[in-house]
Amino acid sequence: MTVPPVPADDDAPLDPRAGLDIVAAQERRVRDSEVDERVLFGVWGAAWIVGYLVQWWSASGSPTGTTSGPAGGVFGLLMATAMVVTVVHLVRRSRGVRGTSRTVGAMYGWSWFLGFAAQSAIVAGVVNAGAPPRVVAVVANGVACLVVGLLYMAGGTLWRVGPFYALGVWLVVTGAAASVVGMPAGYLVMAGAGGGGMLLGAAVVAVRRRSHP
């Protein structure tokens, strides 16, 4: 006579080790879908410090107080690199997220490209209107700083990241201060306060993550 198998007990307690594995897997999934402020702060901070110092060095030796073509090219390449890193990072972090979160991440990533495309068009319009080189420099850098600052503020609001929003406020204030100072001194303001502020933000986030893993 065959003895029937004993049915599995659905109410049996879960193995504690298996439960911990499930919790750890969920935590890794959440971390992998979070925006890493260290990456974004770091790449933009480095790009701004190097880019604006190059522009300041070029403008300091110019009779018009503006940068040369090569210096502007270096700055543009650094900004483009930072934008690509930003978009790739945001798209990767939202790849495993479905629904509204993924859509928001993609829209926010493309906002960087659109913002700087609009900035370039505004600068081109100012040049075509016959503005002096110093005015063009103030507008170009002021609008760029405004775009980055507002996007950081938007990102901080979307993902409820306080340091993200605070850094955006700081960058908007930095852009305004650099515009008031004028060029070429404004380049130093943007390199020190803008780029330095971003790197400081990356360091603060790194310390917080280390103390609250």
Side-chain angles (χ1 to χ4, degrees):
M1 180 177 180
T2 304
V3 177
V6 178
D9 186 2
D10 292 338
D11 295 329
L14 182 67
D15 181 10
R17 183 175 300 176
L20 290 175
D21 291 340
I22 294 174
V23 173
Q26 283 295 112
E27 289 179 348
R28 285 194 299 269
R29 183 177 300 176
V30 171
R31 284 197 301 266
D32 290 342
S33 64
E34 287 181 344
V35 175
D36 193 339
E37 304 94 332
R38 296 170 297 180
V39 174
L40 302 186
F41 289 179
V43 68
W44 280 100
W48 275 37
I49 287 179
V50 175
Y52 280 115
L53 284 179
V54 169
Q55 291 203 94
W56 171 79
W57 176 79
S58 175
S60 297
S62 171
T64 61
T66 56
T67 61
S68 62
V74 171
F75 180 77
L77 179 61
L78 290 170
M79 295 301 104
T81 301
M83 280 191 290
V84 170
V85 172
T86 298
V87 173
V88 170
H89 177 75
L90 292 173
V91 170
R92 284 183 175 178
R93 289 302 171 110
S94 61
R95 182 174 296 169
V97 181
R98 297 180 180 179
T100 304
S101 297
R102 182 175 182 177
T103 302
V104 169
M107 293 171 65
Y108 180 71
W110 284 108
S111 296
W112 287 85
F113 279 126
L114 295 174
F116 276 95
Q119 185 260 1
S120 299
I122 293 172
V123 173
V126 173
V127 172
N128 292 334
R134 283 182 180 268
V135 174
V136 174
V138 170
V139 171
N141 290 282
V143 174
C145 199
L146 183 63
V147 168
V148 175
L150 291 178
L151 284 173
Y152 269 126
M153 292 170 67
T157 302
L158 288 173
W159 284 281
R160 298 180 181 179
V161 180
F164 220 65
Y165 187 89
L167 184 59
V169 173
W170 176 251
L171 294 178
V172 170
V173 174
T174 298
S179 299
V180 172
V181 170
M183 301 303 169
Y187 293 129
L188 288 179
V189 174
M190 288 188 140
M198 292 182 191
L199 293 184
L200 179 61
V204 170
V205 172
V207 171
R208 289 183 60 185
R209 290 198 174 210
R210 192 172 301 170
S211 59
H212 299 88

